[in-house]
């Protein structure tokens, strides 16, 4: 049973346009969500996160939206750049509201979405 | 954030043999996590490694197959034992980067022939 789902294995977007990557989860206990970007031959790199007490978190060109009732989150990249081409993983964890990076939280990942930004 | 050196980056191994993957962190961390990414699949947690105690394995993973060492707060190894082609995957170690999510090693791409 996959608790974190990324139903789109791939996405192509023109440079300068918005990229929207979606993620659904089934475990209502998840209260902290993270997005990672992964280039070939490299490990995943942390991108942005959101706590369940928020519905939006923004960092530069990256915004994550969380809809708890729908158990859905999305990552928006505006404007998209060719360097954004990578695989994006959604991840979730149960922190019981205490997430402070203390190092004891296990992540559940989606399968990833490969984003291609076309120049 | 922490920097992780993971090696080897890739290897091709004969079935029935074992491979040990090493992760060195540039700072002391309490927990280290080992993940596996099989082709077309998500990253799956294998085990959590605490210094000075036995690793905690997730369902479907056992110590005899994936023994882990954690001799100090900056180093850990994962061994893939008695390998079969089904073990062909990318293996990654990870540590928490306080307040900034998790940092991952660059991964070890294992092919078992």
């Amino acid at each position: 049973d996959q608790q974190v789902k990324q139903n789109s294995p791939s996405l192509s977007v023109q440079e300068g346009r918005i990229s929207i990557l979606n993620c659904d989860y089934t475990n209502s206990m998840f209260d902290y969500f993270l997005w990672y970007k992964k280039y070939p031959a490299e490990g995943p790199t942390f991108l942005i996160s959101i706590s369940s007490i928020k519905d939006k978190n923004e960092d530069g060109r990256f915004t994550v939206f969380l809809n708890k009732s729908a158990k859905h989150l999305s990552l928006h990249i505006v404007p998209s750049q060719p360097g954004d081409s990578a695989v994006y993983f959604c991840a979730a964890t149960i922190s019981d509201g205490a997430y402070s990076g203390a190092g004891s939280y296990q992540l559940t990942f989606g399968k990833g979405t490969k984003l291609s930004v076309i120049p | 954030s922490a920097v992780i050196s993971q090696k080897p980056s890739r290897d091709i191994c004969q079935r029935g043999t074992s491979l040990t993957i090493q992760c060195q962190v540039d700072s002391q961390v309490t927990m280290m996590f080992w993940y596996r990414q099989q082709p077309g699949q998500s990253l799956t947690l294998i085990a959590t490694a605490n210094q000075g105690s036995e690793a905690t394995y997730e369902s479907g993973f056992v110590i005899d197959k994936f023994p882990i060492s954690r001799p100090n707060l900056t180093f850990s190894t994962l061994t893939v034992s008695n390998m079969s082609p089904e073990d062909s995957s990318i293996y990654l170690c990870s540590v928490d980067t306080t307040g900034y999510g998790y940092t991952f090693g660059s991964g070890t791409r294992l092919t078992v022939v």
Side-chain angles (χ1 to χ4, degrees):
Chain A
D1 175 37
Q2 197 171 2
Q3 298 187 64
V4 178
K5 301 178 183 178
Q6 294 177 258
N7 292 319
S8 297
S10 63
L11 174 68
S12 290
V13 173
Q14 287 286 335
E15 180 179 4
R17 306 292 291 267
I18 185 172
S19 295
I20 300 176
L21 297 99
N22 294 304
C23 178
D24 297 292
Y25 60 96
T26 58
N27 189 341
S28 58
M29 298 295 292
F30 287 143
D31 65 351
Y32 200 87
F33 306 89
L34 307 93
W35 283 94
Y36 287 84
K37 178 170 70 174
K38 184 181 184 301
Y39 293 117
E42 295 183 14
T45 303
F46 171 73
L47 199 56
I48 192 170
S49 62
I50 188 167
S51 165
S52 61
I53 63 173
K54 295 185 176 181
D55 54 17
K56 177 183 175 181
N57 189 27
E58 191 171 355
D59 184 2
R61 296 186 296 115
F62 302 92
T63 303
V64 55
F65 295 92
L66 175 62
N67 183 335
K68 283 183 292 183
S69 61
K71 294 190 179 68
H72 176 83
L73 65 156
S74 61
L75 174 68
H76 292 211
I77 306 173
V78 183
S80 301
Q81 300 174 353
D84 296 328
S85 297
V87 176
Y88 289 78
F89 289 95
C90 169
T93 188
I94 301 170
S95 73
D96 294 326
Y99 190 85
S100 61
S104 59
Y105 303 103
Q106 299 167 359
L107 302 177
T108 301
F109 286 86
K111 288 188 177 184
T113 297
K114 183 177 181 180
L115 173 66
S116 299
V117 180
I118 304 164
Chain B
S1 63
V3 176
I4 302 176
S5 174
Q6 181 174 345
K7 52 184 175 182
S9 59
R10 59 175 61 223
D11 207 341
I12 300 173
C13 300
Q14 297 289 325
R15 67 175 67 202
T17 63
S18 298
L19 176 71
T20 295
I21 302 166
Q22 300 180 3
C23 273
Q24 178 75 50
V25 189
D26 69 345
S27 58
Q28 294 185 338
V29 292
T30 304
M31 291 188 176
M32 293 181 73
F33 303 88
W34 287 96
Y35 288 87
R36 179 177 74 180
Q37 185 183 14
Q38 293 179 301
Q41 302 296 317
S42 61
L43 285 87
T44 301
L45 182 65
I46 298 172
T48 302
N50 279 333
Q51 189 268 333
S53 63
E54 281 196 8
T56 303
Y57 289 83
E58 296 301 302
S59 175
F61 299 96
V62 295
I63 187 171
D64 290 345
K65 176 68 176 177
F66 298 100
I68 288 172
S69 78
R70 186 79 203 277
N72 56 54
L73 291 173
T74 63
F75 187 77
S76 180
T77 67
L78 170 76
T79 299
V80 186
S81 303
N82 189 24
M83 289 184 285
S84 66
E86 292 70 35
D87 295 318
S88 297
S89 293
I90 298 173
Y91 294 84
L92 300 111
C93 62
S94 174
V95 301
D96 183 64
T97 305
T98 303
Y100 295 95
Y102 287 68
T103 299
F104 287 81
S106 54
T108 297
R109 183 179 293 272
L110 171 62
T111 303
V112 183
V113 297

